[in-house]
Amino acid sequence: KLRRNMLDIIQRNRELEAKEKFSEEINYLHRRVMALLQIVSEKMEENASLRHIVMSQYYALFRVANLEEEVKQLEKLTWYRDEAEAERKHLMDALAKMKKERDYLEDLVTVNEGENNRLALMLNETREELAQLKARRWWHIFSDLFRSIGRLATPA
């Protein structure tokens, strides 16, 4: 009986020691599990953040095609604007040439009007002279001839 009691005491001591040992190990494992759960939680937050970034990048990349199309349209508009500007310059040059030609024609018209006035006066004088010549009689020719000879013969 004593032996059995002794064995029971030894058995209890071993169980208590084992219980203490396993209790410490369980506490250590518990702390380790808590740390791992915290790390897992952090990793999940990082994954969620990365998912958000990936989705943002996906939508941004999805929009790149639309933005490229807009850039092409803007380049076309720029090309149209450049073409319109070149055409405007061409038209302005043509307008400047037309203004020079108009000024030249105005000067030419002014000169022609002056020449027409001079010629009109000459025509009127010639008509008056012709009318005078038609009004003369045949003998006036001889008297005019003698008068002009007289003027030539007379030294001034």
Side-chain angles (χ1 to χ4, degrees):
K1 214 176 181 183
L2 185 60
R3 195 180 205 195
R4 206 181 264 185
N5 281 341
M6 198 57 148
L7 285 174
D8 281 341
I9 291 175
I10 291 173
Q11 181 69 27
R12 268 193 240 145
N13 268 344
R14 282 186 187 165
E15 285 177 5
L16 285 175
E17 285 176 6
K19 190 176 180 183
E20 281 183 28
K21 182 180 176 186
F22 289 125
S23 173
E24 287 177 15
E25 196 171 318
I26 287 174
N27 285 336
Y28 168 76
L29 290 175
H30 188 272
R31 286 192 307 266
R32 186 73 179 133
V33 165
M34 293 300 285
L36 288 174
L37 284 175
Q38 186 177 3
I39 290 172
V40 166
S41 172
E42 289 173 3
K43 295 298 179 185
M44 287 177 66
E45 287 177 13
E46 285 179 16
N47 283 342
S49 146
L50 288 174
R51 279 188 198 131
H52 179 70
I53 290 170
V54 167
M55 291 302 287
S56 297
Q57 288 178 348
Y58 172 77
Y59 286 118
L61 290 174
F62 182 72
R63 289 189 56 215
V64 166
N66 294 338
L67 293 174
E68 286 176 348
E69 186 64 32
E70 285 183 31
V71 165
K72 287 178 185 177
Q73 289 176 355
L74 289 174
E75 286 174 351
K76 285 180 184 177
L77 290 177
T78 302
W79 181 78
Y80 288 140
R81 187 186 59 129
D82 291 342
E83 285 291 318
E85 192 171 314
E87 186 176 352
R88 183 188 62 83
K89 285 181 182 178
H90 176 71
L91 291 174
M92 291 301 284
D93 291 342
L95 181 63
K97 287 179 184 177
M98 288 177 64
K99 284 182 179 179
K100 286 180 183 178
E101 289 177 7
R102 182 200 64 199
D103 292 342
Y104 172 74
L105 290 175
E106 283 181 357
D107 292 342
L108 192 60
V109 165
T110 304
V111 168
N112 284 339
E113 285 176 351
E115 187 66 20
N116 284 345
N117 288 337
R118 187 183 69 80
L119 290 175
L121 288 174
M122 283 178 61
L123 181 62
N124 287 339
E125 289 173 1
T126 306
R127 282 185 183 161
E128 286 176 10
E129 191 176 326
L130 181 63
Q132 286 176 358
L133 287 175
K134 283 184 181 178
R136 283 188 174 182
R137 304 283 178 232
W138 63 271
W139 63 83
H140 289 151
I141 296 173
F142 295 113
S143 63
D144 287 339
L145 183 65
F146 289 126
R147 236 185 267 148
S148 36
I149 291 174
R151 275 190 232 147
L152 290 176
T154 328

PDB file of all heavy atoms in Angstrom, residues 117-152:
ATOM      1  N   ASN A 117      -9.803 114.693-118.278  1.00  0.00           N
ATOM      2  CA  ASN A 117     -10.151 116.118-118.191  1.00  0.00           C
ATOM      3  C   ASN A 117      -9.315 116.940-119.175  1.00  0.00           C
ATOM      4  O   ASN A 117      -9.831 117.814-119.875  1.00  0.00           O
ATOM      5  CB  ASN A 117      -9.956 116.628-116.763  1.00  0.00           C
ATOM      6  CG  ASN A 117     -11.011 116.100-115.823  1.00  0.00           C
ATOM      7  OD1 ASN A 117     -12.087 115.714-116.259  1.00  0.00           O
ATOM      8  ND2 ASN A 117     -10.692 116.077-114.525  1.00  0.00           N
ATOM      9  N   ARG A 118      -8.002 116.628-119.212  1.00  0.00           N
ATOM     10  CA  ARG A 118      -7.112 117.358-120.138  1.00  0.00           C
ATOM     11  C   ARG A 118      -7.535 117.103-121.577  1.00  0.00           C
ATOM     12  O   ARG A 118      -7.652 118.034-122.383  1.00  0.00           O
ATOM     13  CB  ARG A 118      -5.668 116.908-119.914  1.00  0.00           C
ATOM     14  CG  ARG A 118      -4.638 117.711-120.701  1.00  0.00           C
ATOM     15  CD  ARG A 118      -3.241 117.178-120.487  1.00  0.00           C
ATOM     16  NE  ARG A 118      -3.022 115.872-121.093  1.00  0.00           N
ATOM     17  CZ  ARG A 118      -2.762 115.658-122.389  1.00  0.00           C
ATOM     18  NH1 ARG A 118      -2.692 116.683-123.214  1.00  0.00           N
ATOM     19  NH2 ARG A 118      -2.569 114.445-122.839  1.00  0.00           N
ATOM     20  N   LEU A 119      -7.835 115.837-121.894  1.00  0.00           N
ATOM     21  CA  LEU A 119      -8.244 115.504-123.257  1.00  0.00           C
ATOM     22  C   LEU A 119      -9.605 116.104-123.590  1.00  0.00           C
ATOM     23  O   LEU A 119      -9.852 116.521-124.731  1.00  0.00           O
ATOM     24  CB  LEU A 119      -8.271 113.981-123.449  1.00  0.00           C
ATOM     25  CG  LEU A 119      -6.909 113.296-123.459  1.00  0.00           C
ATOM     26  CD1 LEU A 119      -7.088 111.777-123.541  1.00  0.00           C
ATOM     27  CD2 LEU A 119      -6.056 113.783-124.615  1.00  0.00           C
ATOM     28  N   ALA A 120     -10.502 116.169-122.593  1.00  0.00           N
ATOM     29  CA  ALA A 120     -11.808 116.798-122.829  1.00  0.00           C
ATOM     30  C   ALA A 120     -11.633 118.279-123.153  1.00  0.00           C
ATOM     31  O   ALA A 120     -12.306 118.811-124.044  1.00  0.00           O
ATOM     32  CB  ALA A 120     -12.699 116.603-121.609  1.00  0.00           C
ATOM     33  N   LEU A 121     -10.722 118.940-122.420  1.00  0.00           N
ATOM     34  CA  LEU A 121     -10.452 120.360-122.723  1.00  0.00           C
ATOM     35  C   LEU A 121      -9.875 120.507-124.128  1.00  0.00           C
ATOM     36  O   LEU A 121     -10.277 121.400-124.886  1.00  0.00           O
ATOM     37  CB  LEU A 121      -9.487 120.952-121.687  1.00  0.00           C
ATOM     38  CG  LEU A 121     -10.051 121.185-120.294  1.00  0.00           C
ATOM     39  CD1 LEU A 121      -8.949 121.640-119.335  1.00  0.00           C
ATOM     40  CD2 LEU A 121     -11.157 122.230-120.341  1.00  0.00           C
ATOM     41  N   MET A 122      -8.924 119.612-124.459  1.00  0.00           N
ATOM     42  CA  MET A 122      -8.341 119.663-125.800  1.00  0.00           C
ATOM     43  C   MET A 122      -9.396 119.413-126.863  1.00  0.00           C
ATOM     44  O   MET A 122      -9.425 120.085-127.920  1.00  0.00           O
ATOM     45  CB  MET A 122      -7.214 118.628-125.947  1.00  0.00           C
ATOM     46  CG  MET A 122      -5.925 119.030-125.284  1.00  0.00           C
ATOM     47  SD  MET A 122      -4.639 117.771-125.424  1.00  0.00           S
ATOM     48  CE  MET A 122      -4.422 117.645-127.166  1.00  0.00           C
ATOM     49  N   LEU A 123     -10.319 118.467-126.606  1.00  0.00           N
ATOM     50  CA  LEU A 123     -11.385 118.169-127.555  1.00  0.00           C
ATOM     51  C   LEU A 123     -12.308 119.364-127.730  1.00  0.00           C
ATOM     52  O   LEU A 123     -12.683 119.713-128.854  1.00  0.00           O
ATOM     53  CB  LEU A 123     -12.172 116.940-127.071  1.00  0.00           C
ATOM     54  CG  LEU A 123     -13.318 116.481-127.973  1.00  0.00           C
ATOM     55  CD1 LEU A 123     -12.784 116.053-129.337  1.00  0.00           C
ATOM     56  CD2 LEU A 123     -14.086 115.346-127.328  1.00  0.00           C
ATOM     57  N   ASN A 124     -12.631 120.001-126.595  1.00  0.00           N
ATOM     58  CA  ASN A 124     -13.478 121.199-126.679  1.00  0.00           C
ATOM     59  C   ASN A 124     -12.781 122.309-127.458  1.00  0.00           C
ATOM     60  O   ASN A 124     -13.407 122.984-128.291  1.00  0.00           O
ATOM     61  CB  ASN A 124     -13.867 121.678-125.281  1.00  0.00           C
ATOM     62  CG  ASN A 124     -14.887 120.771-124.630  1.00  0.00           C
ATOM     63  OD1 ASN A 124     -15.581 120.046-125.327  1.00  0.00           O
ATOM     64  ND2 ASN A 124     -14.974 120.820-123.310  1.00  0.00           N
ATOM     65  N   GLU A 125     -11.475 122.497-127.190  1.00  0.00           N
ATOM     66  CA  GLU A 125     -10.723 123.527-127.926  1.00  0.00           C
ATOM     67  C   GLU A 125     -10.666 123.187-129.407  1.00  0.00           C
ATOM     68  O   GLU A 125     -10.843 124.056-130.267  1.00  0.00           O
ATOM     69  CB  GLU A 125      -9.301 123.646-127.365  1.00  0.00           C
ATOM     70  CG  GLU A 125      -9.235 124.278-125.994  1.00  0.00           C
ATOM     71  CD  GLU A 125      -7.825 124.226-125.398  1.00  0.00           C
ATOM     72  OE1 GLU A 125      -6.905 123.712-126.087  1.00  0.00           O
ATOM     73  OE2 GLU A 125      -7.664 124.673-124.258  1.00  0.00           O
ATOM     74  N   THR A 126     -10.462 121.897-129.705  1.00  0.00           N
ATOM     75  CA  THR A 126     -10.396 121.477-131.111  1.00  0.00           C
ATOM     76  C   THR A 126     -11.734 121.658-131.777  1.00  0.00           C
ATOM     77  O   THR A 126     -11.814 122.098-132.937  1.00  0.00           O
ATOM     78  CB  THR A 126      -9.945 120.000-131.191  1.00  0.00           C
ATOM     79  OG1 THR A 126      -8.729 119.836-130.480  1.00  0.00           O
ATOM     80  CG2 THR A 126      -9.754 119.548-132.609  1.00  0.00           C
ATOM     81  N   ARG A 127     -12.814 121.362-131.074  1.00  0.00           N
ATOM     82  CA  ARG A 127     -14.159 121.565-131.649  1.00  0.00           C
ATOM     83  C   ARG A 127     -14.425 123.041-131.914  1.00  0.00           C
ATOM     84  O   ARG A 127     -15.003 123.409-132.939  1.00  0.00           O
ATOM     85  CB  ARG A 127     -15.214 120.987-130.696  1.00  0.00           C
ATOM     86  CG  ARG A 127     -15.324 119.502-130.771  1.00  0.00           C
ATOM     87  CD  ARG A 127     -16.446 118.989-129.902  1.00  0.00           C
ATOM     88  NE  ARG A 127     -16.495 117.519-129.942  1.00  0.00           N
ATOM     89  CZ  ARG A 127     -17.082 116.784-129.059  1.00  0.00           C
ATOM     90  NH1 ARG A 127     -17.699 117.349-128.032  1.00  0.00           N
ATOM     91  NH2 ARG A 127     -17.078 115.472-129.175  1.00  0.00           N
ATOM     92  N   GLU A 128     -14.007 123.889-130.962  1.00  0.00           N
ATOM     93  CA  GLU A 128     -14.193 125.338-131.152  1.00  0.00           C
ATOM     94  C   GLU A 128     -13.382 125.823-132.358  1.00  0.00           C
ATOM     95  O   GLU A 128     -13.863 126.593-133.181  1.00  0.00           O
ATOM     96  CB  GLU A 128     -13.767 126.089-129.892  1.00  0.00           C
ATOM     97  CG  GLU A 128     -14.720 125.969-128.745  1.00  0.00           C
ATOM     98  CD  GLU A 128     -14.190 126.650-127.479  1.00  0.00           C
ATOM     99  OE1 GLU A 128     -13.173 127.372-127.563  1.00  0.00           O
ATOM    100  OE2 GLU A 128     -14.790 126.451-126.408  1.00  0.00           O
ATOM    101  N   GLU A 129     -12.133 125.309-132.436  1.00  0.00           N
ATOM    102  CA  GLU A 129     -11.275 125.692-133.565  1.00  0.00           C
ATOM    103  C   GLU A 129     -11.872 125.200-134.873  1.00  0.00           C
ATOM    104  O   GLU A 129     -11.879 125.922-135.882  1.00  0.00           O
ATOM    105  CB  GLU A 129      -9.881 125.111-133.361  1.00  0.00           C
ATOM    106  CG  GLU A 129      -8.845 125.646-134.320  1.00  0.00           C
ATOM    107  CD  GLU A 129      -7.464 125.092-133.994  1.00  0.00           C
ATOM    108  OE1 GLU A 129      -7.148 124.870-132.805  1.00  0.00           O
ATOM    109  OE2 GLU A 129      -6.723 124.879-134.944  1.00  0.00           O
ATOM    110  N   LEU A 130     -12.406 123.979-134.865  1.00  0.00           N
ATOM    111  CA  LEU A 130     -13.040 123.432-136.060  1.00  0.00           C
ATOM    112  C   LEU A 130     -14.267 124.243-136.429  1.00  0.00           C
ATOM    113  O   LEU A 130     -14.500 124.531-137.618  1.00  0.00           O
ATOM    114  CB  LEU A 130     -13.432 121.974-135.818  1.00  0.00           C
ATOM    115  CG  LEU A 130     -14.095 121.243-136.971  1.00  0.00           C
ATOM    116  CD1 LEU A 130     -13.132 121.159-138.166  1.00  0.00           C
ATOM    117  CD2 LEU A 130     -14.526 119.854-136.561  1.00  0.00           C
ATOM    118  N   ALA A 131     -15.024 124.634-135.416  1.00  0.00           N
ATOM    119  CA  ALA A 131     -16.208 125.463-135.685  1.00  0.00           C
ATOM    120  C   ALA A 131     -15.796 126.797-136.279  1.00  0.00           C
ATOM    121  O   ALA A 131     -16.430 127.307-137.217  1.00  0.00           O
ATOM    122  CB  ALA A 131     -16.997 125.661-134.402  1.00  0.00           C
ATOM    123  N   GLN A 132     -14.686 127.368-135.771  1.00  0.00           N
ATOM    124  CA  GLN A 132     -14.192 128.631-136.318  1.00  0.00           C
ATOM    125  C   GLN A 132     -13.715 128.446-137.758  1.00  0.00           C
ATOM    126  O   GLN A 132     -13.971 129.284-138.622  1.00  0.00           O
ATOM    127  CB  GLN A 132     -13.037 129.176-135.471  1.00  0.00           C
ATOM    128  CG  GLN A 132     -13.464 129.762-134.158  1.00  0.00           C
ATOM    129  CD  GLN A 132     -12.253 130.193-133.320  1.00  0.00           C
ATOM    130  OE1 GLN A 132     -11.112 130.006-133.747  1.00  0.00           O
ATOM    131  NE2 GLN A 132     -12.533 130.741-132.146  1.00  0.00           N
ATOM    132  N   LEU A 133     -13.037 127.308-137.974  1.00  0.00           N
ATOM    133  CA  LEU A 133     -12.533 127.058-139.328  1.00  0.00           C
ATOM    134  C   LEU A 133     -13.677 126.830-140.300  1.00  0.00           C
ATOM    135  O   LEU A 133     -13.626 127.264-141.458  1.00  0.00           O
ATOM    136  CB  LEU A 133     -11.590 125.855-139.334  1.00  0.00           C
ATOM    137  CG  LEU A 133     -10.234 126.081-138.705  1.00  0.00           C
ATOM    138  CD1 LEU A 133      -9.444 124.780-138.670  1.00  0.00           C
ATOM    139  CD2 LEU A 133      -9.444 127.138-139.450  1.00  0.00           C
ATOM    140  N   LYS A 134     -14.745 126.177-139.864  1.00  0.00           N
ATOM    141  CA  LYS A 134     -15.890 125.957-140.732  1.00  0.00           C
ATOM    142  C   LYS A 134     -16.620 127.277-141.012  1.00  0.00           C
ATOM    143  O   LYS A 134     -17.204 127.457-142.087  1.00  0.00           O
ATOM    144  CB  LYS A 134     -16.850 124.964-140.098  1.00  0.00           C
ATOM    145  CG  LYS A 134     -16.410 123.535-140.200  1.00  0.00           C
ATOM    146  CD  LYS A 134     -17.491 122.645-139.613  1.00  0.00           C
ATOM    147  CE  LYS A 134     -17.068 121.198-139.677  1.00  0.00           C
ATOM    148  NZ  LYS A 134     -18.056 120.318-139.084  1.00  0.00           N
ATOM    149  N   ALA A 135     -16.566 128.205-140.066  1.00  0.00           N
ATOM    150  CA  ALA A 135     -17.256 129.484-140.226  1.00  0.00           C
ATOM    151  C   ALA A 135     -16.491 130.436-141.142  1.00  0.00           C
ATOM    152  O   ALA A 135     -17.050 131.406-141.644  1.00  0.00           O
ATOM    153  CB  ALA A 135     -17.465 130.123-138.862  1.00  0.00           C
ATOM    154  N   ARG A 136     -15.292 130.198-141.431  1.00  0.00           N
ATOM    155  CA  ARG A 136     -14.488 131.076-142.281  1.00  0.00           C
ATOM    156  C   ARG A 136     -14.903 130.943-143.746  1.00  0.00           C
ATOM    157  O   ARG A 136     -15.377 129.907-144.167  1.00  0.00           O
ATOM    158  CB  ARG A 136     -13.026 130.710-142.183  1.00  0.00           C
ATOM    159  CG  ARG A 136     -12.389 131.180-140.949  1.00  0.00           C
ATOM    160  CD  ARG A 136     -10.949 130.928-141.103  1.00  0.00           C
ATOM    161  NE  ARG A 136     -10.239 131.494-139.984  1.00  0.00           N
ATOM    162  CZ  ARG A 136      -8.970 131.471-139.867  1.00  0.00           C
ATOM    163  NH1 ARG A 136      -8.236 130.901-140.774  1.00  0.00           N
ATOM    164  NH2 ARG A 136      -8.392 132.013-138.848  1.00  0.00           N
ATOM    165  N   ARG A 137     -14.556 131.933-144.440  1.00  0.00           N
ATOM    166  CA  ARG A 137     -14.798 131.924-145.886  1.00  0.00           C
ATOM    167  C   ARG A 137     -13.518 131.530-146.585  1.00  0.00           C
ATOM    168  O   ARG A 137     -12.452 131.511-145.999  1.00  0.00           O
ATOM    169  CB  ARG A 137     -15.226 133.300-146.381  1.00  0.00           C
ATOM    170  CG  ARG A 137     -16.424 133.844-145.666  1.00  0.00           C
ATOM    171  CD  ARG A 137     -17.681 133.151-146.197  1.00  0.00           C
ATOM    172  NE  ARG A 137     -18.864 133.630-145.471  1.00  0.00           N
ATOM    173  CZ  ARG A 137     -19.730 132.857-144.908  1.00  0.00           C
ATOM    174  NH1 ARG A 137     -19.584 131.574-144.915  1.00  0.00           N
ATOM    175  NH2 ARG A 137     -20.789 133.340-144.312  1.00  0.00           N
ATOM    176  N   TRP A 138     -13.576 131.265-147.833  1.00  0.00           N
ATOM    177  CA  TRP A 138     -12.429 130.760-148.575  1.00  0.00           C
ATOM    178  C   TRP A 138     -11.317 131.768-148.688  1.00  0.00           C
ATOM    179  O   TRP A 138     -10.167 131.421-148.751  1.00  0.00           O
ATOM    180  CB  TRP A 138     -12.862 130.281-149.976  1.00  0.00           C
ATOM    181  CG  TRP A 138     -13.409 131.370-150.857  1.00  0.00           C
ATOM    182  CD1 TRP A 138     -14.665 131.786-150.951  1.00  0.00           C
ATOM    183  CD2 TRP A 138     -12.650 132.155-151.720  1.00  0.00           C
ATOM    184  NE1 TRP A 138     -14.800 132.792-151.823  1.00  0.00           N
ATOM    185  CE2 TRP A 138     -13.526 133.039-152.325  1.00  0.00           C
ATOM    186  CE3 TRP A 138     -11.298 132.252-152.080  1.00  0.00           C
ATOM    187  CZ2 TRP A 138     -13.138 133.977-153.263  1.00  0.00           C
ATOM    188  CZ3 TRP A 138     -10.936 133.175-153.015  1.00  0.00           C
ATOM    189  CH2 TRP A 138     -11.831 134.019-153.590  1.00  0.00           C
ATOM    190  N   TRP A 139     -11.613 133.037-148.639  1.00  0.00           N
ATOM    191  CA  TRP A 139     -10.561 134.025-148.782  1.00  0.00           C
ATOM    192  C   TRP A 139      -9.779 134.271-147.512  1.00  0.00           C
ATOM    193  O   TRP A 139      -8.703 134.818-147.529  1.00  0.00           O
ATOM    194  CB  TRP A 139     -11.128 135.353-149.333  1.00  0.00           C
ATOM    195  CG  TRP A 139     -12.124 135.985-148.422  1.00  0.00           C
ATOM    196  CD1 TRP A 139     -11.889 136.752-147.373  1.00  0.00           C
ATOM    197  CD2 TRP A 139     -13.510 135.848-148.512  1.00  0.00           C
ATOM    198  NE1 TRP A 139     -13.016 137.125-146.758  1.00  0.00           N
ATOM    199  CE2 TRP A 139     -14.074 136.565-147.481  1.00  0.00           C
ATOM    200  CE3 TRP A 139     -14.396 135.161-149.384  1.00  0.00           C
ATOM    201  CZ2 TRP A 139     -15.428 136.658-147.272  1.00  0.00           C
ATOM    202  CZ3 TRP A 139     -15.733 135.290-149.160  1.00  0.00           C
ATOM    203  CH2 TRP A 139     -16.247 136.014-148.100  1.00  0.00           C
ATOM    204  N   HIS A 140     -10.345 133.812-146.398  1.00  0.00           N
ATOM    205  CA  HIS A 140      -9.637 133.986-145.121  1.00  0.00           C
ATOM    206  C   HIS A 140      -8.332 133.193-145.089  1.00  0.00           C
ATOM    207  O   HIS A 140      -7.406 133.552-144.381  1.00  0.00           O
ATOM    208  CB  HIS A 140     -10.522 133.544-143.942  1.00  0.00           C
ATOM    209  CG  HIS A 140     -11.667 134.465-143.669  1.00  0.00           C
ATOM    210  ND1 HIS A 140     -12.834 134.027-143.120  1.00  0.00           N
ATOM    211  CD2 HIS A 140     -11.841 135.805-143.858  1.00  0.00           C
ATOM    212  CE1 HIS A 140     -13.668 135.049-142.998  1.00  0.00           C
ATOM    213  NE2 HIS A 140     -13.071 136.140-143.449  1.00  0.00           N
ATOM    214  N   ILE A 141      -8.276 132.139-145.904  1.00  0.00           N
ATOM    215  CA  ILE A 141      -7.075 131.320-145.947  1.00  0.00           C
ATOM    216  C   ILE A 141      -5.902 132.152-146.427  1.00  0.00           C
ATOM    217  O   ILE A 141      -4.813 132.115-145.864  1.00  0.00           O
ATOM    218  CB  ILE A 141      -7.294 130.093-146.854  1.00  0.00           C
ATOM    219  CG1 ILE A 141      -8.370 129.202-146.255  1.00  0.00           C
ATOM    220  CG2 ILE A 141      -6.005 129.315-147.071  1.00  0.00           C
ATOM    221  CD1 ILE A 141      -8.785 128.068-147.151  1.00  0.00           C
ATOM    222  N   PHE A 142      -6.147 132.926-147.466  1.00  0.00           N
ATOM    223  CA  PHE A 142      -5.057 133.739-148.009  1.00  0.00           C
ATOM    224  C   PHE A 142      -4.653 134.838-147.045  1.00  0.00           C
ATOM    225  O   PHE A 142      -3.463 135.124-146.889  1.00  0.00           O
ATOM    226  CB  PHE A 142      -5.468 134.336-149.370  1.00  0.00           C
ATOM    227  CG  PHE A 142      -5.670 133.278-150.414  1.00  0.00           C
ATOM    228  CD1 PHE A 142      -6.932 133.017-150.937  1.00  0.00           C
ATOM    229  CD2 PHE A 142      -4.584 132.556-150.886  1.00  0.00           C
ATOM    230  CE1 PHE A 142      -7.114 132.049-151.892  1.00  0.00           C
ATOM    231  CE2 PHE A 142      -4.778 131.585-151.851  1.00  0.00           C
ATOM    232  CZ  PHE A 142      -6.030 131.319-152.356  1.00  0.00           C
ATOM    233  N   SER A 143      -5.631 135.448-146.370  1.00  0.00           N
ATOM    234  CA  SER A 143      -5.281 136.511-145.438  1.00  0.00           C
ATOM    235  C   SER A 143      -4.509 135.960-144.239  1.00  0.00           C
ATOM    236  O   SER A 143      -3.558 136.583-143.763  1.00  0.00           O
ATOM    237  CB  SER A 143      -6.525 137.262-144.978  1.00  0.00           C
ATOM    238  OG  SER A 143      -7.369 136.409-144.286  1.00  0.00           O
ATOM    239  N   ASP A 144      -4.876 134.764-143.794  1.00  0.00           N
ATOM    240  CA  ASP A 144      -4.141 134.135-142.689  1.00  0.00           C
ATOM    241  C   ASP A 144      -2.745 133.766-143.118  1.00  0.00           C
ATOM    242  O   ASP A 144      -1.775 133.919-142.368  1.00  0.00           O
ATOM    243  CB  ASP A 144      -4.867 132.872-142.198  1.00  0.00           C
ATOM    244  CG  ASP A 144      -6.135 133.193-141.415  1.00  0.00           C
ATOM    245  OD1 ASP A 144      -6.237 134.337-140.926  1.00  0.00           O
ATOM    246  OD2 ASP A 144      -6.997 132.291-141.264  1.00  0.00           O
ATOM    247  N   LEU A 145      -2.624 133.353-144.365  1.00  0.00           N
ATOM    248  CA  LEU A 145      -1.313 132.979-144.896  1.00  0.00           C
ATOM    249  C   LEU A 145      -0.403 134.181-144.965  1.00  0.00           C
ATOM    250  O   LEU A 145       0.771 134.129-144.580  1.00  0.00           O
ATOM    251  CB  LEU A 145      -1.484 132.316-146.264  1.00  0.00           C
ATOM    252  CG  LEU A 145      -0.227 131.805-146.930  1.00  0.00           C
ATOM    253  CD1 LEU A 145       0.397 130.672-146.119  1.00  0.00           C
ATOM    254  CD2 LEU A 145      -0.506 131.374-148.337  1.00  0.00           C
ATOM    255  N   PHE A 146      -0.913 135.287-145.441  1.00  0.00           N
ATOM    256  CA  PHE A 146      -0.116 136.503-145.518  1.00  0.00           C
ATOM    257  C   PHE A 146       0.243 137.018-144.130  1.00  0.00           C
ATOM    258  O   PHE A 146       1.328 137.528-143.927  1.00  0.00           O
ATOM    259  CB  PHE A 146      -0.863 137.583-146.319  1.00  0.00           C
ATOM    260  CG  PHE A 146      -0.939 137.275-147.786  1.00  0.00           C
ATOM    261  CD1 PHE A 146      -2.167 137.245-148.448  1.00  0.00           C
ATOM    262  CD2 PHE A 146       0.223 137.008-148.513  1.00  0.00           C
ATOM    263  CE1 PHE A 146      -2.243 136.964-149.779  1.00  0.00           C
ATOM    264  CE2 PHE A 146       0.123 136.719-149.861  1.00  0.00           C
ATOM    265  CZ  PHE A 146      -1.098 136.683-150.507  1.00  0.00           C
ATOM    266  N   ARG A 147      -0.666 136.876-143.192  1.00  0.00           N
ATOM    267  CA  ARG A 147      -0.392 137.309-141.819  1.00  0.00           C
ATOM    268  C   ARG A 147       0.726 136.487-141.205  1.00  0.00           C
ATOM    269  O   ARG A 147       1.624 137.029-140.558  1.00  0.00           O
ATOM    270  CB  ARG A 147      -1.651 137.137-140.980  1.00  0.00           C
ATOM    271  CG  ARG A 147      -2.056 138.423-140.322  1.00  0.00           C
ATOM    272  CD  ARG A 147      -3.231 138.235-139.386  1.00  0.00           C
ATOM    273  NE  ARG A 147      -4.444 138.494-140.121  1.00  0.00           N
ATOM    274  CZ  ARG A 147      -5.602 137.957-139.968  1.00  0.00           C
ATOM    275  NH1 ARG A 147      -5.766 137.018-139.076  1.00  0.00           N
ATOM    276  NH2 ARG A 147      -6.631 138.279-140.684  1.00  0.00           N
ATOM    277  N   SER A 148       0.683 135.166-141.423  1.00  0.00           N
ATOM    278  CA  SER A 148       1.753 134.345-140.858  1.00  0.00           C
ATOM    279  C   SER A 148       3.068 134.611-141.553  1.00  0.00           C
ATOM    280  O   SER A 148       4.119 134.615-140.910  1.00  0.00           O
ATOM    281  CB  SER A 148       1.428 132.874-140.863  1.00  0.00           C
ATOM    282  OG  SER A 148       0.719 132.447-141.957  1.00  0.00           O
ATOM    283  N   ILE A 149       3.062 134.901-142.802  1.00  0.00           N
ATOM    284  CA  ILE A 149       4.321 135.232-143.482  1.00  0.00           C
ATOM    285  C   ILE A 149       4.845 136.557-142.958  1.00  0.00           C
ATOM    286  O   ILE A 149       6.039 136.721-142.745  1.00  0.00           O
ATOM    287  CB  ILE A 149       4.099 135.295-145.003  1.00  0.00           C
ATOM    288  CG1 ILE A 149       3.828 133.893-145.534  1.00  0.00           C
ATOM    289  CG2 ILE A 149       5.302 135.892-145.711  1.00  0.00           C
ATOM    290  CD1 ILE A 149       3.453 133.845-146.985  1.00  0.00           C
ATOM    291  N   GLY A 150       3.941 137.456-142.710  1.00  0.00           N
ATOM    292  CA  GLY A 150       4.329 138.767-142.180  1.00  0.00           C
ATOM    293  C   GLY A 150       4.950 138.630-140.809  1.00  0.00           C
ATOM    294  O   GLY A 150       5.890 139.343-140.458  1.00  0.00           O
ATOM    295  N   ARG A 151       4.462 137.778-140.042  1.00  0.00           N
ATOM    296  CA  ARG A 151       5.028 137.567-138.698  1.00  0.00           C
ATOM    297  C   ARG A 151       6.412 136.957-138.801  1.00  0.00           C
ATOM    298  O   ARG A 151       7.303 137.309-138.027  1.00  0.00           O
ATOM    299  CB  ARG A 151       4.150 136.623-137.892  1.00  0.00           C
ATOM    300  CG  ARG A 151       3.029 137.341-137.226  1.00  0.00           C
ATOM    301  CD  ARG A 151       2.348 136.404-136.236  1.00  0.00           C
ATOM    302  NE  ARG A 151       0.931 136.431-136.531  1.00  0.00           N
ATOM    303  CZ  ARG A 151       0.080 135.465-136.416  1.00  0.00           C
ATOM    304  NH1 ARG A 151       0.490 134.299-136.019  1.00  0.00           N
ATOM    305  NH2 ARG A 151      -1.167 135.599-136.693  1.00  0.00           N
ATOM    306  N   LEU A 152       6.608 136.070-139.739  1.00  0.00           N
ATOM    307  CA  LEU A 152       7.909 135.453-139.909  1.00  0.00           C
ATOM    308  C   LEU A 152       8.918 136.448-140.434  1.00  0.00           C
ATOM    309  O   LEU A 152      10.099 136.409-140.069  1.00  0.00           O
ATOM    310  CB  LEU A 152       7.824 134.270-140.872  1.00  0.00           C
ATOM    311  CG  LEU A 152       7.063 133.041-140.334  1.00  0.00           C
ATOM    312  CD1 LEU A 152       6.968 131.984-141.442  1.00  0.00           C
ATOM    313  CD2 LEU A 152       7.758 132.430-139.148  1.00  0.00           C
TER     314      LEU A 152
END
